[in-house]
Amino acid sequence: MRKKGQLEMELSARITQWEKEYLGRGSLTCKSDLLRDLAIVTLQGVLTPAEYELSTTMTGCEQLKKYRNNLVESGRSQLESIVEQVLDRSIVSLHTDISTKTGERLIVFRLNAPWDKLD
């Protein structure tokens, strides 16, 4: 059985690869943390300079969040596949949000079982 740190690193690498292939560019950093039945992925530096400019107004922030969240949802099946391959768990739910101030995105995957429990 692979150790927690190895699983977290592999999940981060696979999410970064997905970003580059599916979204066209990756984050500056990606860190995954496993906790009970959660996989929490923190992505830093996901916004472009144009998106920061767009987010200077409330309307722009709302549009940006909606657009970026729709992109993640449109790739949901790929993300679920990545998590299943790395953690050998299926996804119960996926939650995501992006900060228009810091350019940070959080993706939280709720797993069907704790990551460290044997089937």
Side-chain angles (χ1 to χ4, degrees), residues 18 72-81 91-94:
W18 173 82
V72 170
E73 282 296 328
S74 71
R76 183 183 181 121
S77 63
Q78 294 168 347
L79 290 168
E80 288 179 352
S81 178
I91 303 302
V92 173
S93 59
L94 180 156

Side-chain angles (χ1 to χ4, degrees), residues 18-19 23 27 29 31 41-47 64-72 94-99 102-107:
W18 173 82
E19 282 187 300
L23 302 176
S27 57
T29 63
K31 170 98 172 73
V41 181
T42 306
L43 305 137
Q44 298 281 343
V46 298
L47 294 181
L64 179 61
K65 282 179 173 270
K66 184 177 180 179
Y67 176 72
R68 282 297 195 126
N69 286 342
N70 286 342
L71 285 175
V72 170
L94 180 156
H95 308 274
T96 186
D97 196 14
I98 192 166
S99 169
T102 64
E104 175 183 73
R105 170 180 290 289
L106 290 178
I107 305 174

Side-chain angles (χ1 to χ4, degrees), residues 15-58:
I15 296 289
T16 298
Q17 179 183 358
W18 173 82
E19 282 187 300
K20 289 178 181 176
E21 292 174 1
Y22 189 72
L23 302 176
R25 68 184 290 267
S27 57
L28 296 177
T29 63
C30 180
K31 170 98 172 73
S32 297
D33 294 290
L34 299 174
L35 175 67
R36 296 185 307 270
D37 64 345
L38 301 174
I40 304 161
V41 181
T42 306
L43 305 137
Q44 298 281 343
V46 298
L47 294 181
T48 67
E51 288 172 323
Y52 277 115
E53 185 63 32
L54 178 64
S55 68
T56 59
T57 67
M58 183 59 75

